[in-house]
Amino acid sequence: MDNLTHSLVGAVLGQAGLKRITGLAMPALIIGANLPDVDAACFVWLEGTEHLAFRRGITHGPPALVLLPLVLAGLLWAFDRWQSRRGTRPETRLPVRFGWLYAMAFIGCLSHPALDWLNIYGIRLLEPFSSQWFYGDTLFIIDVWLWALLIVSVWLSRRRENAGADWMHPARVGIMAVLGYIGANAGLTWLNHQTRGTMTEPYPQAYISAPVPFAFWRREQIAQFYNGRWISSDWEGADFGHGYANSLASQCRMPDLTEARRTDTQLNAFLFWSRAPFAVRAADGSVILYDARFYDPRARDRFSVALPDVECEELPAP
């Protein structure tokens, strides 16, 4: 998910009562909720599609979720001591207890992969023990309805806190509403995946039910058929078998890239990340690889890789 969502989740957890446990609990929760995204620094040293093979991996796995909160807790604890020595520590701050501070940072960090798992991009939850990708297919990566629930919950909680009223209740209700919203979306995805959008034969070999922005109740249907062609439709009930959905671009037969990926780091990174790879004919007759989840010819450097030495071969007839 986006970092605003991660930050709001940390904030609502704090407003639900966790910030009363120890001093600096709120920054531990909010920063901790964003901490696994330190892997975004890979854009500094990686090029092209190589970031796809690095993101949502090692910093989102079990060892990092234990060690990153420890580093954060240590820095916040040192900051509190530094302010005390300078005489600038706020008098209203609760005593900082390192063990509880670590627990808050740990809870914040755990919320991060839980949210990231919910979209179609995927996450390697077990890295470095396993590089398997996991996909929740439940929420779009930026969900404005989730924003609204979280923002209202935090705002109401803060408003009641300033008024001296019970400020934890709105945050706790908000957390329940968020969990209900996520559960409802999981049900919508499951139902769409079970019915395949009520499509008729021939049924697809692979199928992805992808949440779309704004209209949380709808799913983009992404299907691959036995001839290798990927089809997409943004409306449920599309008849894939009779070609009423949209074929993604001018597709080619998927080439055998076993040898090529051993020497081409861009290709290897793309194929390691890709869940729905397909080949498209370039203007010169060569091949460009895309992923059906993120097909956008304008984003060539980010979610695709060009193979100028590979000739496009026609797909077999449906």
Side-chain angles (χ1 to χ4, degrees):
M1 303 296 288
D2 63 286
N3 291 104
L4 176 58
T5 301
H6 288 304
S7 299
L8 288 169
V9 166
V12 80
L13 289 172
Q15 289 300 125
L18 292 183
K19 73 177 186 180
R20 298 180 63 184
I21 293 178
T22 179
L24 296 178
M26 190 64 108
L29 286 162
I30 295 175
I31 298 173
N34 287 278
L35 205 52
D37 274 345
V38 295
D39 61 359
C42 73
F43 286 102
V44 175
W45 71 83
L46 296 180
E47 299 179 355
T49 59
E50 291 177 344
H51 70 94
L52 296 173
F54 188 82
R55 293 296 310 274
R56 294 201 180 186
I58 190 65
T59 63
H60 291 62
L65 296 179
V66 173
L67 296 175
L68 288 175
L70 186 62
V71 173
L72 175 59
L75 291 174
L76 291 174
W77 182 86
F79 174 73
D80 181 71
R81 294 297 181 272
W82 176 72
Q83 282 193 317
S84 296
R85 289 194 299 270
R86 296 187 64 205
T88 58
R89 187 183 190 278
E91 295 181 1
T92 56
R93 180 185 296 163
L94 295 172
V96 174
R97 293 175 287 180
F98 183 82
W100 281 113
L101 192 62
Y102 173 69
M104 296 302 100
F106 181 66
I107 291 171
C109 269
L110 282 183
S111 73
H112 188 105
L115 287 171
D116 278 359
W117 169 74
L118 293 174
N119 52 62
I120 64 171
Y121 188 99
I123 181 174
R124 304 198 303 282
L125 290 170
L126 302 178
E127 197 74 58
F129 308 112
S130 169
S131 294
Q132 179 182 350
W133 289 89
F134 296 87
Y135 310 95
D137 297 348
T138 300
L139 299 179
F140 191 69
I141 194 169
I142 298 176
D143 191 305
V144 295
W145 304 106
L146 191 58
W147 281 359
L149 287 172
L150 290 167
I151 290 172
V152 168
S153 301
V154 173
W155 176 74
L156 286 175
S157 178
R158 290 288 297 167
R159 184 180 181 185
R160 290 175 67 91
E161 183 179 10
N162 292 334
D166 179 9
W167 50 271
M168 291 182 284
H169 182 69
R172 291 173 179 176
V173 170
I175 290 173
M176 296 303 296
V178 165
L179 292 175
Y181 176 73
I182 292 172
N185 273 273
L188 290 170
T189 294
W190 177 86
L191 182 62
N192 179 272
H193 201 277
Q194 290 298 113
T195 61
R196 300 295 197 272
T198 66
M199 64 180 65
T200 58
E201 295 188 47
Y203 300 115
Q205 180 182 18
Y207 182 81
I208 300 172
S209 180
V212 299
F214 304 111
F216 69 86
W217 56 91
R218 296 178 63 179
R219 295 294 181 269
E220 179 186 8
Q221 301 173 94
I222 305 172
Q224 183 189 35
F225 291 87
Y226 288 93
N227 64 349
R229 186 178 300 277
W230 282 93
I231 305 291
S232 172
S233 175
D234 62 357
W235 58 281
E236 296 182 19
D239 192 341
F240 285 83
H242 292 82
Y244 295 145
N246 300 316
S247 178
L248 294 175
S250 177
Q251 296 180 43
C252 311
R253 185 192 299 272
M254 192 67 181
D256 182 1
L257 301 170
T258 305
E259 293 296 327
R261 67 183 301 179
R262 293 176 181 173
T263 57
D264 189 335
T265 58
Q266 300 292 323
L267 173 62
N268 187 58
F270 178 86
L271 292 176
F272 172 72
W273 162 81
S274 183
R275 180 182 179 187
F278 69 99
V280 171
R281 179 189 297 275
D284 60 359
S286 63
V287 165
I288 302 175
L289 295 186
Y290 290 96
D291 188 288
R293 299 169 298 167
F294 302 99
Y295 175 60
D296 184 356
R298 297 167 299 179
R300 177 171 174 175
D301 292 336
R302 189 171 185 184
F303 295 117
S304 67
V305 60
L307 303 175
D309 298 327
V310 179
E311 184 177 352
C312 176
E313 298 182 18
E314 295 293 333
L315 281 171

mmCIF file of all heavy atoms in Angstrom, residues 218 220-225 229-235 237-251 278 292 295:
data_model
loop_
_atom_site.group_PDB
_atom_site.id
_atom_site.type_symbol
_atom_site.label_atom_id
_atom_site.label_comp_id
_atom_site.label_asym_id
_atom_site.label_seq_id
_atom_site.Cartn_x
_atom_site.Cartn_y
_atom_site.Cartn_z
ATOM 1 N N ARG A 218 -15.816 -3.301 -7.806
ATOM 2 C CA ARG A 218 -15.571 -3.879 -9.119
ATOM 3 C C ARG A 218 -14.204 -4.542 -9.164
ATOM 4 O O ARG A 218 -13.314 -4.231 -8.378
ATOM 5 C CB ARG A 218 -15.665 -2.801 -10.204
ATOM 6 C CG ARG A 218 -17.059 -2.202 -10.326
ATOM 7 C CD ARG A 218 -17.098 -1.112 -11.367
ATOM 8 N NE ARG A 218 -16.792 -1.619 -12.698
ATOM 9 C CZ ARG A 218 -16.790 -0.868 -13.784
ATOM 10 N NH1 ARG A 218 -17.080 0.424 -13.698
ATOM 11 N NH2 ARG A 218 -16.513 -1.389 -14.950
ATOM 12 N N GLU A 220 -11.181 -5.846 -12.088
ATOM 13 C CA GLU A 220 -10.684 -6.064 -13.446
ATOM 14 C C GLU A 220 -10.389 -7.553 -13.581
ATOM 15 O O GLU A 220 -9.741 -8.148 -12.719
ATOM 16 C CB GLU A 220 -9.425 -5.253 -13.712
ATOM 17 C CG GLU A 220 -8.853 -5.476 -15.107
ATOM 18 C CD GLU A 220 -7.525 -4.772 -15.323
ATOM 19 O OE1 GLU A 220 -6.971 -4.235 -14.348
ATOM 20 O OE2 GLU A 220 -7.040 -4.789 -16.470
ATOM 21 N N GLN A 221 -10.864 -8.143 -14.669
ATOM 22 C CA GLN A 221 -10.662 -9.565 -14.900
ATOM 23 C C GLN A 221 -9.512 -9.751 -15.890
ATOM 24 O O GLN A 221 -9.567 -9.252 -17.010
ATOM 25 C CB GLN A 221 -11.935 -10.200 -15.462
ATOM 26 C CG GLN A 221 -13.127 -10.036 -14.531
ATOM 27 C CD GLN A 221 -14.396 -10.527 -15.186
ATOM 28 O OE1 GLN A 221 -14.787 -11.672 -15.015
ATOM 29 N NE2 GLN A 221 -15.017 -9.664 -15.972
ATOM 30 N N ILE A 222 -8.484 -10.466 -15.454
ATOM 31 C CA ILE A 222 -7.309 -10.708 -16.283
ATOM 32 C C ILE A 222 -7.175 -12.214 -16.442
ATOM 33 O O ILE A 222 -7.028 -12.939 -15.454
ATOM 34 C CB ILE A 222 -6.040 -10.118 -15.637
ATOM 35 C CG1 ILE A 222 -6.234 -8.625 -15.338
ATOM 36 C CG2 ILE A 222 -4.832 -10.332 -16.532
ATOM 37 C CD1 ILE A 222 -5.120 -8.010 -14.522
ATOM 38 N N ALA A 223 -7.253 -12.685 -17.675
ATOM 39 C CA ALA A 223 -7.296 -14.128 -17.914
ATOM 40 C C ALA A 223 -6.314 -14.519 -19.011
ATOM 41 O O ALA A 223 -6.111 -13.789 -19.979
ATOM 42 C CB ALA A 223 -8.713 -14.552 -18.293
ATOM 43 N N GLN A 224 -5.711 -15.704 -18.846
ATOM 44 C CA GLN A 224 -4.835 -16.272 -19.872
ATOM 45 C C GLN A 224 -5.449 -17.573 -20.373
ATOM 46 O O GLN A 224 -5.871 -18.422 -19.581
ATOM 47 C CB GLN A 224 -3.438 -16.551 -19.324
ATOM 48 C CG GLN A 224 -2.474 -17.072 -20.396
ATOM 49 C CD GLN A 224 -1.168 -17.557 -19.811
ATOM 50 O OE1 GLN A 224 -1.137 -18.105 -18.725
ATOM 51 N NE2 GLN A 224 -0.081 -17.356 -20.538
ATOM 52 N N PHE A 225 -5.480 -17.734 -21.704
ATOM 53 C CA PHE A 225 -6.059 -18.922 -22.294
ATOM 54 C C PHE A 225 -4.966 -19.866 -22.790
ATOM 55 O O PHE A 225 -3.784 -19.532 -22.796
ATOM 56 C CB PHE A 225 -7.035 -18.522 -23.406
ATOM 57 C CG PHE A 225 -8.260 -17.854 -22.848
ATOM 58 C CD1 PHE A 225 -8.284 -16.482 -22.622
ATOM 59 C CD2 PHE A 225 -9.363 -18.602 -22.501
ATOM 60 C CE1 PHE A 225 -9.397 -15.872 -22.077
ATOM 61 C CE2 PHE A 225 -10.481 -18.003 -21.958
ATOM 62 C CZ PHE A 225 -10.500 -16.629 -21.738
ATOM 63 N N ARG A 229 -2.627 -16.375 -24.942
ATOM 64 C CA ARG A 229 -3.075 -14.986 -25.035
ATOM 65 C C ARG A 229 -3.678 -14.516 -23.713
ATOM 66 O O ARG A 229 -4.455 -15.218 -23.079
ATOM 67 C CB ARG A 229 -4.103 -14.825 -26.154
ATOM 68 C CG ARG A 229 -4.517 -13.373 -26.401
ATOM 69 C CD ARG A 229 -5.505 -13.285 -27.559
ATOM 70 N NE ARG A 229 -4.926 -13.805 -28.783
ATOM 71 C CZ ARG A 229 -4.129 -13.107 -29.593
ATOM 72 N NH1 ARG A 229 -3.809 -11.858 -29.282
ATOM 73 N NH2 ARG A 229 -3.646 -13.652 -30.683
ATOM 74 N N TRP A 230 -3.310 -13.284 -23.321
ATOM 75 C CA TRP A 230 -3.885 -12.659 -22.132
ATOM 76 C C TRP A 230 -5.015 -11.721 -22.552
ATOM 77 O O TRP A 230 -4.884 -10.965 -23.508
ATOM 78 C CB TRP A 230 -2.832 -11.877 -21.354
ATOM 79 C CG TRP A 230 -1.937 -12.739 -20.522
ATOM 80 C CD1 TRP A 230 -0.733 -13.254 -20.892
ATOM 81 C CD2 TRP A 230 -2.180 -13.194 -19.195
ATOM 82 N NE1 TRP A 230 -0.201 -14.014 -19.873
ATOM 83 C CE2 TRP A 230 -1.066 -13.990 -18.805
ATOM 84 C CE3 TRP A 230 -3.224 -13.018 -18.279
ATOM 85 C CZ2 TRP A 230 -0.986 -14.593 -17.560
ATOM 86 C CZ3 TRP A 230 -3.132 -13.620 -17.039
ATOM 87 C CH2 TRP A 230 -2.022 -14.399 -16.687
ATOM 88 N N ILE A 231 -6.131 -11.800 -21.844
ATOM 89 C CA ILE A 231 -7.321 -10.999 -22.102
ATOM 90 C C ILE A 231 -7.660 -10.225 -20.837
ATOM 91 O O ILE A 231 -7.510 -10.726 -19.727
ATOM 92 C CB ILE A 231 -8.524 -11.893 -22.493
ATOM 93 C CG1 ILE A 231 -8.176 -12.783 -23.683
ATOM 94 C CG2 ILE A 231 -9.749 -11.050 -22.799
ATOM 95 C CD1 ILE A 231 -7.993 -12.046 -24.979
ATOM 96 N N SER A 232 -8.135 -8.988 -20.996
ATOM 97 C CA SER A 232 -8.495 -8.178 -19.840
ATOM 98 C C SER A 232 -9.860 -7.534 -20.055
ATOM 99 O O SER A 232 -10.212 -7.148 -21.167
ATOM 100 C CB SER A 232 -7.446 -7.085 -19.619
ATOM 101 O OG SER A 232 -7.863 -6.174 -18.625
ATOM 102 N N SER A 233 -10.625 -7.423 -18.973
ATOM 103 C CA SER A 233 -11.889 -6.707 -19.015
ATOM 104 C C SER A 233 -12.109 -6.027 -17.683
ATOM 105 O O SER A 233 -11.843 -6.606 -16.632
ATOM 106 C CB SER A 233 -13.059 -7.646 -19.293
ATOM 107 O OG SER A 233 -14.289 -6.930 -19.216
ATOM 108 N N ASP A 234 -12.578 -4.777 -17.707
ATOM 109 C CA ASP A 234 -12.808 -4.048 -16.464
ATOM 110 C C ASP A 234 -14.269 -4.081 -16.049
ATOM 111 O O ASP A 234 -14.699 -3.327 -15.197
ATOM 112 C CB ASP A 234 -12.323 -2.599 -16.578
ATOM 113 C CG ASP A 234 -13.066 -1.820 -17.637
ATOM 114 O OD1 ASP A 234 -13.912 -2.423 -18.325
ATOM 115 O OD2 ASP A 234 -12.803 -0.622 -17.785
ATOM 116 N N TRP A 235 -15.075 -4.978 -16.671
ATOM 117 C CA TRP A 235 -16.466 -5.104 -16.235
ATOM 118 C C TRP A 235 -16.813 -6.572 -16.029
ATOM 119 O O TRP A 235 -16.444 -7.433 -16.806
ATOM 120 C CB TRP A 235 -17.433 -4.474 -17.228
ATOM 121 C CG TRP A 235 -17.374 -5.022 -18.622
ATOM 122 C CD1 TRP A 235 -16.457 -4.716 -19.577
ATOM 123 C CD2 TRP A 235 -18.264 -5.993 -19.200
ATOM 124 N NE1 TRP A 235 -16.713 -5.416 -20.724
ATOM 125 C CE2 TRP A 235 -17.823 -6.205 -20.527
ATOM 126 C CE3 TRP A 235 -19.385 -6.663 -18.753
ATOM 127 C CZ2 TRP A 235 -18.456 -7.076 -21.390
ATOM 128 C CZ3 TRP A 235 -20.026 -7.543 -19.611
ATOM 129 C CH2 TRP A 235 -19.559 -7.741 -20.919
ATOM 130 N N GLY A 237 -18.825 -9.981 -15.863
ATOM 131 C CA GLY A 237 -19.788 -10.548 -16.790
ATOM 132 C C GLY A 237 -19.270 -10.577 -18.215
ATOM 133 O O GLY A 237 -19.976 -10.975 -19.123
ATOM 134 N N ALA A 238 -18.023 -10.135 -18.430
ATOM 135 C CA ALA A 238 -17.450 -10.176 -19.776
ATOM 136 C C ALA A 238 -17.382 -11.618 -20.270
ATOM 137 O O ALA A 238 -17.003 -12.528 -19.540
ATOM 138 C CB ALA A 238 -16.044 -9.565 -19.753
ATOM 139 N N ASP A 239 -17.750 -11.816 -21.513
ATOM 140 C CA ASP A 239 -17.751 -13.151 -22.092
ATOM 141 C C ASP A 239 -16.407 -13.386 -22.766
ATOM 142 O O ASP A 239 -16.226 -13.110 -23.947
ATOM 143 C CB ASP A 239 -18.899 -13.275 -23.094
ATOM 144 C CG ASP A 239 -19.137 -14.727 -23.504
ATOM 145 O OD1 ASP A 239 -18.214 -15.535 -23.309
ATOM 146 O OD2 ASP A 239 -20.230 -15.028 -23.995
ATOM 147 N N PHE A 240 -15.443 -13.913 -22.014
ATOM 148 C CA PHE A 240 -14.108 -14.132 -22.546
ATOM 149 C C PHE A 240 -14.126 -15.139 -23.689
ATOM 150 O O PHE A 240 -13.399 -15.025 -24.659
ATOM 151 C CB PHE A 240 -13.183 -14.643 -21.434
ATOM 152 C CG PHE A 240 -12.765 -13.590 -20.456
ATOM 153 C CD1 PHE A 240 -13.583 -13.246 -19.407
ATOM 154 C CD2 PHE A 240 -11.559 -12.934 -20.598
ATOM 155 C CE1 PHE A 240 -13.207 -12.274 -18.494
ATOM 156 C CE2 PHE A 240 -11.173 -11.960 -19.699
ATOM 157 C CZ PHE A 240 -11.997 -11.631 -18.644
ATOM 158 N N GLY A 241 -14.971 -16.151 -23.543
ATOM 159 C CA GLY A 241 -14.984 -17.215 -24.541
ATOM 160 C C GLY A 241 -15.385 -16.747 -25.920
ATOM 161 O O GLY A 241 -15.010 -17.333 -26.915
ATOM 162 N N HIS A 242 -16.154 -15.677 -26.013
ATOM 163 C CA HIS A 242 -16.586 -15.185 -27.318
ATOM 164 C C HIS A 242 -15.872 -13.901 -27.725
ATOM 165 O O HIS A 242 -16.310 -13.194 -28.617
ATOM 166 C CB HIS A 242 -18.104 -14.966 -27.319
ATOM 167 C CG HIS A 242 -18.870 -16.241 -27.232
ATOM 168 N ND1 HIS A 242 -19.110 -16.883 -26.037
ATOM 169 C CD2 HIS A 242 -19.435 -17.023 -28.194
ATOM 170 C CE1 HIS A 242 -19.807 -17.993 -26.265
ATOM 171 N NE2 HIS A 242 -20.007 -18.107 -27.558
ATOM 172 N N GLY A 243 -14.773 -13.580 -27.004
ATOM 173 C CA GLY A 243 -13.919 -12.479 -27.436
ATOM 174 C C GLY A 243 -14.461 -11.100 -27.175
ATOM 175 O O GLY A 243 -14.067 -10.146 -27.826
ATOM 176 N N TYR A 244 -15.384 -10.958 -26.196
ATOM 177 C CA TYR A 244 -15.957 -9.647 -25.938
ATOM 178 C C TYR A 244 -15.095 -8.802 -25.006
ATOM 179 O O TYR A 244 -15.373 -7.641 -24.787
ATOM 180 C CB TYR A 244 -17.359 -9.802 -25.325
ATOM 181 C CG TYR A 244 -18.334 -10.432 -26.266
ATOM 182 C CD1 TYR A 244 -19.317 -11.289 -25.797
ATOM 183 C CD2 TYR A 244 -18.277 -10.178 -27.625
ATOM 184 C CE1 TYR A 244 -20.225 -11.873 -26.665
ATOM 185 C CE2 TYR A 244 -19.173 -10.774 -28.498
ATOM 186 C CZ TYR A 244 -20.146 -11.624 -28.013
ATOM 187 O OH TYR A 244 -21.039 -12.199 -28.874
ATOM 188 N N ALA A 245 -14.083 -9.402 -24.440
ATOM 189 C CA ALA A 245 -13.143 -8.643 -23.612
ATOM 190 C C ALA A 245 -11.978 -8.185 -24.485
ATOM 191 O O ALA A 245 -11.896 -8.507 -25.670
ATOM 192 C CB ALA A 245 -12.648 -9.505 -22.457
ATOM 193 N N ASN A 246 -11.078 -7.416 -23.896
ATOM 194 C CA ASN A 246 -10.002 -6.800 -24.667
ATOM 195 C C ASN A 246 -8.738 -7.649 -24.645
ATOM 196 O O ASN A 246 -8.212 -7.969 -23.585
ATOM 197 C CB ASN A 246 -9.676 -5.414 -24.085
ATOM 198 C CG ASN A 246 -10.877 -4.497 -24.126
ATOM 199 O OD1 ASN A 246 -11.580 -4.450 -25.115
ATOM 200 N ND2 ASN A 246 -11.119 -3.790 -23.034
ATOM 201 N N SER A 247 -8.245 -7.997 -25.815
ATOM 202 C CA SER A 247 -6.951 -8.662 -25.908
ATOM 203 C C SER A 247 -5.871 -7.618 -25.670
ATOM 204 O O SER A 247 -5.928 -6.514 -26.214
ATOM 205 C CB SER A 247 -6.780 -9.290 -27.290
ATOM 206 O OG SER A 247 -5.513 -9.887 -27.408
ATOM 207 N N LEU A 248 -4.895 -7.969 -24.831
ATOM 208 C CA LEU A 248 -3.861 -7.004 -24.470
ATOM 209 C C LEU A 248 -2.824 -6.895 -25.586
ATOM 210 O O LEU A 248 -1.987 -7.771 -25.778
ATOM 211 C CB LEU A 248 -3.183 -7.423 -23.156
ATOM 212 C CG LEU A 248 -4.082 -7.380 -21.920
ATOM 213 C CD1 LEU A 248 -3.342 -7.932 -20.705
ATOM 214 C CD2 LEU A 248 -4.543 -5.965 -21.651
ATOM 215 N N ALA A 249 -2.895 -5.806 -26.343
ATOM 216 C CA ALA A 249 -1.896 -5.459 -27.357
ATOM 217 C C ALA A 249 -1.747 -6.535 -28.438
ATOM 218 O O ALA A 249 -2.549 -7.445 -28.563
ATOM 219 C CB ALA A 249 -0.555 -5.189 -26.687
ATOM 220 N N SER A 250 -0.709 -6.369 -29.274
ATOM 221 C CA SER A 250 -0.408 -7.319 -30.340
ATOM 222 C C SER A 250 0.541 -8.361 -29.770
ATOM 223 O O SER A 250 1.758 -8.177 -29.759
ATOM 224 C CB SER A 250 0.236 -6.584 -31.523
ATOM 225 O OG SER A 250 0.601 -7.481 -32.537
ATOM 226 N N GLN A 251 -0.008 -9.468 -29.310
ATOM 227 C CA GLN A 251 0.782 -10.414 -28.540
ATOM 228 C C GLN A 251 1.508 -11.424 -29.420
ATOM 229 O O GLN A 251 1.044 -11.802 -30.486
ATOM 230 C CB GLN A 251 -0.112 -11.146 -27.532
ATOM 231 C CG GLN A 251 -0.706 -10.215 -26.490
ATOM 232 C CD GLN A 251 -1.589 -10.936 -25.500
ATOM 233 O OE1 GLN A 251 -1.260 -12.018 -25.018
ATOM 234 N NE2 GLN A 251 -2.723 -10.337 -25.178
ATOM 235 N N PHE A 278 3.667 -11.463 -20.606
ATOM 236 C CA PHE A 278 3.275 -11.744 -21.985
ATOM 237 C C PHE A 278 4.138 -10.920 -22.924
ATOM 238 O O PHE A 278 4.687 -9.885 -22.546
ATOM 239 C CB PHE A 278 1.784 -11.489 -22.215
ATOM 240 C CG PHE A 278 1.372 -10.038 -22.163
ATOM 241 C CD1 PHE A 278 1.186 -9.307 -23.322
ATOM 242 C CD2 PHE A 278 1.146 -9.416 -20.943
ATOM 243 C CE1 PHE A 278 0.788 -7.977 -23.284
ATOM 244 C CE2 PHE A 278 0.748 -8.089 -20.887
ATOM 245 C CZ PHE A 278 0.564 -7.368 -22.055
ATOM 246 N N ALA A 292 0.585 -8.479 -17.371
ATOM 247 C CA ALA A 292 -0.819 -8.148 -17.629
ATOM 248 C C ALA A 292 -1.446 -7.343 -16.500
ATOM 249 O O ALA A 292 -2.442 -6.654 -16.709
ATOM 250 C CB ALA A 292 -1.618 -9.433 -17.856
ATOM 251 N N TYR A 295 -0.115 -3.395 -17.423
ATOM 252 C CA TYR A 295 0.186 -3.118 -18.818
ATOM 253 C C TYR A 295 0.022 -1.635 -19.112
ATOM 254 O O TYR A 295 -1.077 -1.084 -19.052
ATOM 255 C CB TYR A 295 -0.725 -3.928 -19.744
ATOM 256 C CG TYR A 295 -0.511 -3.579 -21.195
ATOM 257 C CD1 TYR A 295 0.735 -3.757 -21.780
ATOM 258 C CD2 TYR A 295 -1.544 -3.059 -21.962
ATOM 259 C CE1 TYR A 295 0.945 -3.429 -23.107
ATOM 260 C CE2 TYR A 295 -1.346 -2.733 -23.290
ATOM 261 C CZ TYR A 295 -0.094 -2.911 -23.863
ATOM 262 O OH TYR A 295 0.115 -2.575 -25.169
#
